[in-house]
Amino acid sequence: MKHRILYRDSGVDIDRADEAKRRIKELLKKSKLESLFGGIGKFAGFFPLNLSQFKEPVLVSSVDGVGTKLKVAFMAGIHNTVGKDLVNHCINDILTHGAFPLFFMDYISTGKMNPDVVEEIVKGIVEACKESGVYLIGGETAEMPGFYEGGEYDLAGFIVGIAEKNKIIDGSRIEEGNIIFGLPSSGLHTNGYSLARKILFEKNKFDINQEIKELNGSIKEILLKVHRNYLRVLRFSVEKNLLRGLSHITGGGFIGNIPRILPEEHYAEINLNSWKIPPIFKYLIKEANLNLEESFRTFNMGIGMIGISNEGEAEKIFSHFESINEKYFIIGKIKKGKKGVKFIE
């Protein structure tokens, strides 16, 4: 008689996967964010579109991950923040084009399914979606033994939003003399973690729970600060069509992201004295011995979102920021010249 080799013998436990899915369904039922067509578990997600308020609606989408910030979550054993990072990052990306989010889908893959960990991840996703009124209409969990180290997983998300065609922000209205402002980040957000981990854990041999005097907190607290969501802060400015450009400062920093929205023969002149760079960035730059260009290409340097407007528009934007107690910095101007970013002091 031949010996049976079950799927479980190869490392895939369908029962564990089913338990994880059951918990996800419960979370979505409680949150009331699931699809209006039968909830999670179908082969696809559904979302009803009501376009009556739009003249020329345009769907805007983005897909992203959390990167090696996940490694910090693994080390700390904290999994309820990375889901928020994922949702907020994706919302910010479509917001740069003037789009408001409609629905979100996630992808979680791991070597060995742990329902407790999956539940914590999805709790973060649900919380972030709820805060922004985004429907979580579906996702995928995949167990792939041998593909990941023990206890590790990957996380990605896909978002769809909507914008009025004539209000899409694409940078085409940016011109010389426009004002550049910055909104504070909460920390590293989801970029620069490979270098940060190399410095903190390989070079300096720190423990994840260790406190660093210069940083006023433990490493895990500082590195796992949730990626900020700028939807609430910028909704008014987007709705009133006051923005000529928005740049989400993610991978590539100032140098890699600001030029993506600039017209040809225009550059962003950034005044380095217009805001205080937070301690975590100063520490990492010092420990890595980075120069100015390397620093502003690797990290967000304390600015998570950059906006561009003319003087009249900016006055209205700043007045709104002040009315909601939102901190902002006027960090530079648009000038004529070779496309890129220049720093002055």
Side-chain angles (χ1 to χ4, degrees), residues 2-279:
K2 288 186 177 179
H3 176 65
R4 286 193 307 161
I5 302 176
L6 303 176
Y7 208 3
R8 186 183 290 108
D9 297 326
S10 69
V12 178
D13 191 326
I14 295 174
D15 291 335
R16 278 199 308 260
D18 286 345
E19 172 61 15
K21 290 172 186 175
R22 185 193 67 77
R23 295 191 192 187
I24 292 171
K25 287 181 181 180
E26 286 300 313
L27 286 171
L28 291 176
K29 281 179 184 177
K30 290 177 184 177
S31 68
K32 299 181 181 178
L33 293 176
E34 60 186 343
S35 165
L36 303 180
F37 291 91
I40 298 296
K42 310 294 183 184
F43 286 101
F46 301 88
F47 187 84
L49 270 178
N50 180 2
L51 304 178
S52 59
Q53 67 199 81
F54 295 90
K55 291 181 180 178
E56 291 186 273
V58 177
L59 293 179
V60 182
S61 60
S62 181
V63 62
D64 220 311
V66 181
T68 61
K69 187 174 187 176
L70 292 175
K71 288 277 191 179
V72 181
F74 304 154
M75 294 173 73
I78 297 172
H79 307 285
N80 63 349
T81 59
V82 291
K84 296 177 187 177
D85 289 322
L86 180 65
V87 174
N88 291 348
H89 187 135
C90 289
I91 287 174
N92 290 340
D93 277 351
I94 64 169
L95 183 62
T96 63
H97 294 294
F100 295 123
L102 296 173
F103 63 84
F104 187 82
M105 302 182 82
D106 63 76
Y107 174 78
I108 303 168
S109 57
T110 184
K112 183 177 180 180
M113 191 67 64
N114 183 330
D116 293 334
V117 171
V118 172
E119 184 176 18
E120 286 299 298
I121 297 168
V122 177
K123 275 182 182 177
I125 293 172
V126 167
E127 189 174 328
C129 284
K130 198 166 185 178
E131 286 173 359
S132 296
V134 183
Y135 280 85
L136 180 59
I137 67 167
E140 172 69 5
T141 55
E143 191 170 35
M144 300 191 290
F147 202 81
Y148 298 95
E149 296 292 329
E152 294 195 347
Y153 55 82
D154 198 9
L155 180 62
F158 174 73
I159 196 165
V160 172
I162 193 165
E164 189 69 72
K165 185 178 179 182
N166 65 3
K167 288 187 177 181
I168 286 177
I169 302 169
D170 60 5
S172 61
R173 295 194 301 129
I174 293 174
E175 55 189 13
E176 185 180 11
N178 283 174
I179 292 169
I180 306 172
F181 66 86
L183 296 174
S185 67
S186 56
L188 272 68
H189 281 184
T190 49
N191 294 99
Y193 278 85
S194 294
L195 179 58
R197 289 187 304 106
K198 189 171 186 66
I199 293 166
L200 294 167
F201 306 126
E202 291 184 32
K203 176 178 177 284
N204 293 345
K205 309 295 182 184
F206 287 141
D207 181 83
I208 187 72
N209 297 302
Q210 192 163 339
E211 299 217 3
I212 301 177
K213 189 177 179 181
E214 301 100 302
L215 305 183
N216 301 315
S218 71
I219 292 174
K220 69 180 178 184
E221 289 169 348
I222 293 160
L223 294 189
L224 289 177
K225 283 185 177 177
V226 173
H227 192 130
R228 268 199 79 185
N229 179 338
Y230 296 98
L231 177 61
R232 181 190 68 86
V233 174
L234 289 171
R235 182 180 288 276
F236 170 84
S237 303
V238 172
E239 287 177 341
K240 298 298 182 183
N241 209 22
L242 299 175
L243 292 154
R244 301 193 171 201
L246 277 174
S247 181
H248 187 197
I249 307 304
T250 56
F254 277 54
I255 292 170
N257 287 289
I258 297 177
R260 295 166 69 178
I261 64 170
L262 297 178
E264 293 300 322
E265 303 305 319
H266 288 75
Y267 70 89
E269 182 183 78
I270 304 295
N271 185 339
L272 294 173
N273 295 316
S274 56
W275 81 98
K276 287 185 179 180
I277 296 171

